[in-house]
Amino acid sequence: MLQELRARLRIRFAAPPGVPLGIHNIYVWPNKNGWILLTILLAMLAFGINYQNNLVLILAVFILCSVLTSVFYGFFNMNGVSIDVRKMTAAAYAGSPLPLPVFVSAKSTPGRVRIIRGLRITAPGAAALIAPDIAGGGAVQLSFANEKRGIFRVPLLAVSSAWPLGVVNTFSYVKPDTEVLVYPRPVSTEYLLDRQPGLLMGSRKEAPEKQGIAALPEQRGRLRSRDEISGLRPYRPGDPPGIIDWKRMARGQGLLAKDFSQDNSMDLYLNINSIRPRNYEDAISRLTWAVQDLSRKEQRFGFNAFGIFEAPDSAPEHTARILTRLALLPEGKYHADV
């Protein structure tokens, strides 16, 4: 209950991204070293007053003034600092570190460069980021550990600094509004493309139902590419075992692979029958790897699985659309009818 209340209060008083921190959202509190120092300070004051030791009292007052000075310096170190989280330029995949650029800036007076000292940024699921002294502003990188596909929402950021003496924490909270699309984790797999009747030119981007073609593979007239063998060729590393002519190999005629004829009236599709998944998430991961592999080879292909239909294409936008729709699939259990 207490932790939930603290979390709500943090969100309630968190600063929006890019808005300078100020007196309304900067807090000061002693850290572990600070509490130890305050305990020693109270003991020194009690000893000096009880035994009327002026030297101890002067030393205690000096320590107290130093702590109060660090409070003011720590506050002004963070006053006017703004934190903003930028979106990634590269694609993000589940199971890989998710680096997010964090831009730190501060108000500077004319003719003087503002230096932000000892800044520390933390967030749930992220490694603590201790930024060096930042002059005026700059970008730092906060790395998150993310295991799930879909939309990743950047959590609440805690920004703090123990400068200058390390006995008082000056801290604040920033609530980013950044969302990152995380693609499924790619899992290497062997796959075969289905050959299906080609769509009409000029209408490849329409849904298959609009052309009188059912969306599901088992409801469409189709012909697997491995059914049309045009000949044999020497085995090439990377060929799937399913296209190897094992009978000729058993006869001692060498390692040969089946070659398939090309039919311009047929389109190549990647679907659930192209792979052998263990479960629902494994199927998504294997299809992700297959889509990436076909994209690297600049192979023209279509996609038809989990209710996602994309007409054959080889453009980068085609690959991005498929990966995006795979990432946004709902979580659930795999079943054979999918």
Side-chain angles (χ1 to χ4, degrees), residues 54-94:
N54 293 333
L55 183 61
V56 174
L57 289 175
I58 292 173
L59 182 58
V61 171
F62 173 77
I63 294 175
L64 179 60
C65 292
S66 300
V67 172
L68 293 176
T69 302
S70 68
V71 170
F72 286 100
Y73 271 91
F75 173 82
F76 287 112
N77 179 54
M78 287 188 59
N79 187 37
V81 174
S82 60
I83 308 293
D84 195 10
V85 180
R86 306 292 175 86
K87 290 187 177 181
M88 296 174 53
T89 56
Y93 293 90

Side-chain angles (χ1 to χ4, degrees), residues 210-221:
K210 295 181 180 180
Q211 304 180 52
I213 304 174
L216 296 179
E218 59 268 24
Q219 296 174 340
R220 294 184 58 168

Side-chain angles (χ1 to χ4, degrees), residues 21 34 107 120 150 193 197 206 223 248 308 332:
L21 303 177
K107 294 181 179 179
R120 177 186 175 93
L193 295 175
E206 295 182 3
L223 185 61
R248 291 181 181 270
I308 302 171

Side-chain angles (χ1 to χ4, degrees), residues 215-219 271-273 277 280 283 304-308 333-338:
L216 296 179
E218 59 268 24
Q219 296 174 340
N271 55 35
I272 195 66
N273 297 318
Y280 176 72
N304 191 2
F306 301 117
I308 302 171
K333 295 182 179 180
Y334 170 77
H335 53 88
D337 296 334
V338 179

Side-chain angles (χ1 to χ4, degrees), residues 197-214 220 267 269 309 311-312:
L199 302 178
L200 298 177
M201 298 302 294
S203 61
R204 289 180 176 271
K205 294 185 179 180
E206 295 182 3
E209 293 83 357
K210 295 181 180 180
Q211 304 180 52
I213 304 174
R220 294 184 58 168
D267 284 332
Y269 277 86
F309 180 84

Side-chain angles (χ1 to χ4, degrees), residues 167-216:
V167 295
V168 173
N169 278 343
T170 309
F171 62 95
S172 184
Y173 298 98
V174 177
K175 183 65 178 73
D177 53 3
T178 305
E179 295 182 347
V180 181
L181 177 64
V182 180
Y183 291 148
R185 181 202 307 262
V187 174
S188 178
T189 185
E190 295 178 352
Y191 61 92
L192 286 174
L193 295 175
D194 274 354
R195 302 186 68 204
Q196 301 176 1
L199 302 178
L200 298 177
M201 298 302 294
S203 61
R204 289 180 176 271
K205 294 185 179 180
E206 295 182 3
E209 293 83 357
K210 295 181 180 180
Q211 304 180 52
I213 304 174
L216 296 179

